[in-house]
């Protein structure tokens, strides 16, 4: 079936699996509000015992806390259950963007491989509360900081919400080289 809104449509197809569980395929055309855009070209949701698994891709542009993302492409993969809660990105995930602004830092087009902590997931929300942690094997981004050019390169980087950041072999170049 197709569900439509004034500036978007959603396609939904459901089916029963051989074990009596279900699977659903969802696709959403571009949804816009002001200068924000969201596209969900594919999302599959599957019931697996007491868990709901999901996998797909989304692309978005618009305001984010403290800045803006342009054409942020993000695979989505995870699961949810009453017992363990929500788990997203158990494996390394390729995230790309055309532009990313955080406060006065503006980064140019880049693809980054975000990885979860060993044995965990990037996002976990359950009985122990919300936990967000990710790492990069290295970082190499360029853009502007206010007006001047900036390049940031490093070895391994780890980030945990709220506020923990660990970067090794950090090299920051400000201005033209």
């Amino acid at each position: 079936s197709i569900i439509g809104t004034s500036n978007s449509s959603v396609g939904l197809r459901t089916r029963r699996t051989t074990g009596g569980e279900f699977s659903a395929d969802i696709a959403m055309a571009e949804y816009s509000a002001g200068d924000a855009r969201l596209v969900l070209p594919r999302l599959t949701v599957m019931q697996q015992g007491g868990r709901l698994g999901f996998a797909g891709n989304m692309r978005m542009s618009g305001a984010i806390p403290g800045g803006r993302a342009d054409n942020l492409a993000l695979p989505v993969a995870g699961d949810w259950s009453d017992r363990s809660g929500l788990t997203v990105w158990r494996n390394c995930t390729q995230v790309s963007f055309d532009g990313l602004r955080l406060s006065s830092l503006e980064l140019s087009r880049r693809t980054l491989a975000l990885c979860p902590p060993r044995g965990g997931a990037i996002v976990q929300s359950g009985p122990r509360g919300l936990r967000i942690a990710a790492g990069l094997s290295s970082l190499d981004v360029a853009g502007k900081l206010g007006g001047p050019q900036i390049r940031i390169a490093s070895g391994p980087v780890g980030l945990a919400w709220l506020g923990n950041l660990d970067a090794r072999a950090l090299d920051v170049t400000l201005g033209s080289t």
Side-chain angles (χ1 to χ4, degrees):
S1 66
I2 298 289
I3 303 166
T5 64
S6 61
N7 64 353
S8 179
S9 64
V10 176
L12 173 66
R13 186 181 63 172
T14 62
R15 60 191 169 282
R16 288 267 177 212
T17 64
T18 55
E21 297 174 338
F22 83 93
S23 175
D25 294 317
I26 302 165
M28 184 179 86
E30 182 177 283
Y31 174 81
S32 62
D35 71 343
R37 306 273 184 270
L38 174 66
V39 178
L40 186 66
R42 180 188 61 82
L43 180 68
T44 300
V45 179
M46 300 157 291
Q47 181 184 9
Q48 304 162 331
R51 299 182 91 72
L52 283 178
F54 53 91
N57 295 291
M58 75 174 151
R59 197 172 56 250
M60 61 186 124
S61 294
I64 59 174
R68 177 176 176 81
D70 289 308
N71 204 25
L72 176 65
L74 185 65
V76 179
D79 55 65
W80 177 87
S81 74
D82 278 337
R83 194 184 77 196
S84 58
L86 177 67
T87 302
V88 185
W89 301 301
R90 291 181 189 269
N91 299 306
C92 292
T93 302
Q94 296 287 324
V95 176
S96 65
F97 55 85
D98 288 346
L100 184 64
R101 183 175 41 99
L102 301 167
S103 190
S104 60
L105 176 64
E106 296 180 34
L107 299 177
S108 304
R109 180 181 306 233
R110 182 64 55 200
T111 298
L112 303 171
L114 297 176
C115 295
R118 184 168 290 138
I122 293 175
V123 176
Q124 294 179 315
S125 180
R128 295 174 37 193
L130 176 64
R131 294 176 297 158
I132 301 173
L136 300 153
S137 60
S138 64
L139 183 64
D140 188 3
V141 295
K144 292 182 179 183
L145 182 61
Q149 297 291 319
I150 188 169
R151 180 177 171 269
I152 305 168
S154 74
V157 176
L159 173 69
W161 183 71
L162 279 162
N164 294 335
L165 175 65
D166 180 44
R168 298 188 183 170
L170 187 61
D171 181 18
V172 178
T173 305
L174 189 58
S176 57
T177 57

